[in-house]
Amino acid sequence: PPGRKVLIVYAHQEPKSLNGSLKRVAVEELSKQGCSVMVSDLYAMQFEPRATRNDIVGCLHNSEEFNYGVETREAYKRGDLSDDVIEEQKKVQEADLLIFQFPLYWFSMPAIMKGWMDRVLVQGFAHEFPNCYDSGLLKNKLALFSFTTGGSKEMYAKGGISGDIRYLLWPMQHGIMHFCGVKVLAPHICFAPEYVSEKERKKMLVAWAQRLKTLWKEEPINCSPEWYFK
């Protein structure tokens, strides 16, 4: 719907890749709906994935012993996080929907995207115990993980060699997004694009565009272990 804000966090090195095309389709389709779309193209931005002392500007809360979690929480309160982190937090704050677009690496997201999670979702900004899971600080937002795999759909079935694809989503969707209060839409998975024809890849893009047309009508998944492990 017009006026909705979307942040696409995108991790692929090549714009001509299927991931690049999926990102482009999302920007086009959502913009057409009147949404305002922001893209964090992590490789193009040369986003720093490492959580270090450099993320805190000025003096440390405890200069005797460095504790990243504590220091970033305190720096967030003071407004003393590094500019690149503040910039991403602003985008998250504004967004109604977060789309993560990436190729699956080793059953997980690429390091540059994991680094985005590590550095951006600071305590006090995204969660603050006991305010986590359903009471996480980013409630009223939606997230969607859209990714490509190397393995086929059969490999990622319950009885397949890689196990149910949903097992891999538990740390990403539940441990990160749901922990921060974000509601999660069903993932969008393009299985083994490298092993299919150009025609099949085109179909994948069409299917994504179709889904985006009615995305705002979708109900989030049931945020419980059952969805992943039943």
Side-chain angles (χ1 to χ4, degrees):
R4 297 271 176 104
K5 294 201 161 116
V6 182
L7 170 61
I8 301 174
V9 182
Y10 162 70
H12 199 288
Q13 309 86 339
E14 175 52 68
K16 295 191 199 102
S17 64
L18 185 70
N19 273 277
S21 300
L22 288 159
K23 183 259 298 174
R24 194 181 63 248
V25 164
V27 172
E28 285 166 10
E29 184 50 49
L30 292 163
S31 302
K32 220 184 288 174
Q33 295 174 19
C35 300
S36 75
V37 186
M38 305 168 278
V39 177
S40 288
D41 181 340
L42 301 180
Y43 287 105
M45 292 156 68
Q46 300 191 349
F47 186 79
E48 168 61 81
R50 294 169 300 183
T52 68
R53 160 76 179 84
N54 298 338
D55 293 348
I56 297 100
V57 177
C59 298
L60 290 177
H61 178 69
N62 175 1
S63 52
E64 298 300 302
E65 194 177 321
F66 185 73
N67 177 320
Y68 186 81
V70 170
E71 292 298 342
T72 48
R73 181 191 71 207
E74 295 303 317
Y76 174 72
K77 282 191 219 161
R78 300 192 308 264
D80 280 347
L81 286 168
S82 61
D83 289 347
D84 60 341
V85 174
I86 289 174
E87 190 60 33
E88 295 306 298
Q89 288 178 342
K90 275 195 195 125
K91 295 179 198 171
V92 171
Q93 197 74 65
E94 281 181 24
D96 299 299
L97 167 67
L98 308 166
I99 296 177
F100 297 96
Q101 181 65 59
F102 59 97
L104 197 67
Y105 281 8
W106 297 117
F107 279 25
S108 187
M109 59 187 93
I112 200 165
M113 185 175 277
K114 177 56 164 55
W116 185 95
M117 306 282 180
D118 292 349
R119 297 180 62 227
V120 176
L121 302 174
V122 166
Q123 190 179 345
F125 167 69
H127 57 92
E128 182 74 271
F129 192 81
N131 294 322
C132 48
Y133 291 117
D134 289 342
S135 59
L137 304 181
L138 301 181
K139 54 182 176 295
N140 307 326
K141 295 187 189 298
L142 292 168
L144 192 166
F145 286 82
S146 171
F147 60 97
T148 57
T149 68
S152 66
K153 195 167 185 173
E154 293 69 43
M155 290 170 77
Y156 284 111
K158 217 179 191 113
I161 186 83
S162 301
D164 192 332
I165 192 80
R166 291 184 177 195
Y167 301 157
L168 319 189
L169 289 161
W170 171 252
M172 298 191 254
Q173 293 186 164
H174 188 78
I176 304 177
M177 284 295 118
H178 184 204
F179 186 81
C180 297
V182 180
K183 291 186 177 62
V184 179
L185 295 174
H188 199 85
I189 309 165
C190 292
F191 287 99
E194 287 179 54
Y195 302 103
V196 301
S197 66
E198 192 51 46
K199 193 172 159 205
E200 286 300 310
R201 279 197 290 274
K202 288 241 161 62
K203 273 192 196 157
M204 289 176 173
L205 295 177
V206 171
W208 178 223
Q210 279 307 113
R211 180 176 175 192
L212 289 163
K213 284 189 194 333
T214 55
L215 194 70
W216 302 101
K217 295 194 177 84
E218 290 185 19
E219 284 297 310
I221 65 166
N222 157 19
C223 282
S224 71
E226 284 81 61
W227 188 89
Y228 300 89
F229 303 110
K230 65 172 183 283

